[in-house]
Amino acid sequence: MLKNHFNFNAVLYAALMVAAMWLGFLLQYLGLFTGCSGAIVPLSPYGLKGIFLSPFLHGSLEHIFGNSVPIFVLIFLLFQFYPFIAKKVFLLGWILTGFLVWLLPPIDIYTGEFNTVCIIGASGIVYVLAFFLFFSGVFRWNMKFLTVSMVVALYYGSLIWGVMPEELFSQLPEPSRISWQSHLSGAVIGILMAFIFRKSGERKVKFIWEFPNYYSEKDDKLWQEYKENHPEDFLELPYKKKENVWERLDELRKNE
């Protein structure tokens, strides 16, 4: 029974992604990725490879720990409840978010200065998945998917604040190292994909009684079973022949 409801591939894909992230972090520690190598560098041809590599790279243990848990949970939810489009959403979300981050100019919101930045981490994918899972349930208006939306909102609702620069909310001694561009890009792509794929795969089940003007005796299994089990109820019943007054006209005159 568990196999009918639990998608073991969902756990496998989630675990593989987290393992790849930790492998990338290990390679960083060993010095295979230094500086901006493997990072997204906005508007720089050199930084295009970061679209594919940056989710595996992180700046610290705190950084990778902070992304590992939500990545695992959200990938599991995606493949568990949306197996019919999960791979499309994951891969397209990853690439499109990375490309949108690369297109956004790294401009300081206060000074307007153009800064060269190196963006690493899987937070863009986290935002893609979180916003897709939430808005997909809303757009489909299906009870099962809405439940997933509520779970995501409950545990990751605070992510909404990450789509804006941290400097707007607190006085920082130096510019924030958190890439709000990745968060904003992921949120936008997640919402767009939730809308585009809203009619793909499993949809809301509509029962026959939800169609008030529709009834087909052939589709009514209970009615068919009753007819088979009680044929005597459907035999032609005897009835009184309708009296024709004109045939008894002479008889009626005699009685008068």
Side-chain angles (χ1 to χ4, degrees):
M1 183 176 179
L2 181 61
K3 290 183 179 180
N4 295 333
H5 301 281
F6 187 79
N7 186 355
F8 290 96
N9 285 334
V11 177
L12 176 62
Y13 293 137
L16 286 174
M17 183 61 187
V18 173
M21 289 164 54
W22 279 90
L23 177 60
F25 186 71
L26 176 62
L27 295 178
Q28 277 182 280
Y29 180 77
L30 295 176
L32 272 70
F33 292 95
T34 58
C36 287
S37 178
I40 296 176
V41 183
L43 303 179
S44 169
Y46 173 77
L48 278 171
K49 64 180 181 293
I51 294 173
F52 306 96
L53 297 177
S54 62
F56 303 117
L57 308 177
H58 292 81
S60 64
L61 277 172
E62 182 183 1
H63 189 195
I64 192 170
F65 269 118
N67 281 337
S68 294
V69 175
I71 279 286
F72 184 90
V73 173
L74 294 171
I75 290 179
F76 169 76
L77 291 176
L78 176 67
F79 280 88
Q80 174 67 32
F81 292 97
Y82 296 89
F84 38 88
I85 53 170
K87 292 180 180 178
K88 289 181 183 179
V89 171
F90 181 70
L91 294 175
L92 281 175
W94 179 338
I95 295 171
L96 292 176
T97 296
F99 185 66
L100 186 56
V101 171
W102 183 81
L103 287 176
L104 291 174
I107 298 176
D108 189 296
I109 62 171
Y110 290 119
T111 65
E113 296 179 357
F114 187 93
N115 300 318
T116 300
V117 294
C118 304
I119 300 173
I120 58 175
S123 58
I125 298 178
V126 170
Y127 272 75
V128 168
L129 300 180
F131 277 75
F132 171 83
L133 290 169
F134 177 79
F135 282 95
S136 185
V138 174
F139 292 147
R140 292 169 185 268
W141 206 247
N142 176 294
M143 186 56 65
K144 181 174 75 171
F145 298 130
L146 277 171
T147 303
V148 177
S149 298
M150 294 302 102
V151 170
V152 172
L154 178 63
Y155 287 97
Y156 299 109
S158 60
L159 290 177
I160 188 66
W161 303 110
V163 302
M164 292 174 280
E166 193 178 6
E167 289 86 350
L168 294 177
F169 307 103
S170 57
Q171 297 292 330
L172 303 176
E174 59 182 19
S176 173
R177 299 181 63 186
I178 297 175
S179 175
W180 63 270
Q181 295 94 333
S182 295
H183 302 169
L184 178 61
S185 300
V188 170
I189 297 299
I191 295 171
L192 286 176
M193 288 199 299
F195 182 77
I196 292 170
F197 291 120
R198 70 190 185 283
K199 295 183 180 179
S200 299
E202 185 178 343
R203 302 178 189 177
K204 181 181 178 181
V205 176
K206 213 167 185 182
F207 299 97
I208 191 170
W209 54 80
E210 296 184 67
F211 297 88
N213 298 324
Y214 173 80
Y215 176 77
S216 173
E217 186 177 307
K218 293 181 179 179
D219 296 335
D220 194 334
K221 293 183 178 180
L222 290 175
W223 176 250
Q224 295 299 320
E225 289 176 2
Y226 183 84
K227 288 176 69 176
E228 292 175 4
N229 297 330
H230 303 84
E232 67 279 0
D233 291 348
F234 299 92
L235 297 176
E236 185 175 353
L237 299 176
Y239 63 92
K240 183 179 179 181
K241 186 177 179 181
K242 187 176 180 181
E243 185 178 16
N244 189 344
V245 177
W246 298 104
E247 292 178 355
R248 299 181 58 221
L249 186 59
D250 292 337
E251 182 183 349
L252 292 172
R253 286 174 176 172
K254 290 178 182 180
N255 294 334
E256 291 179 354

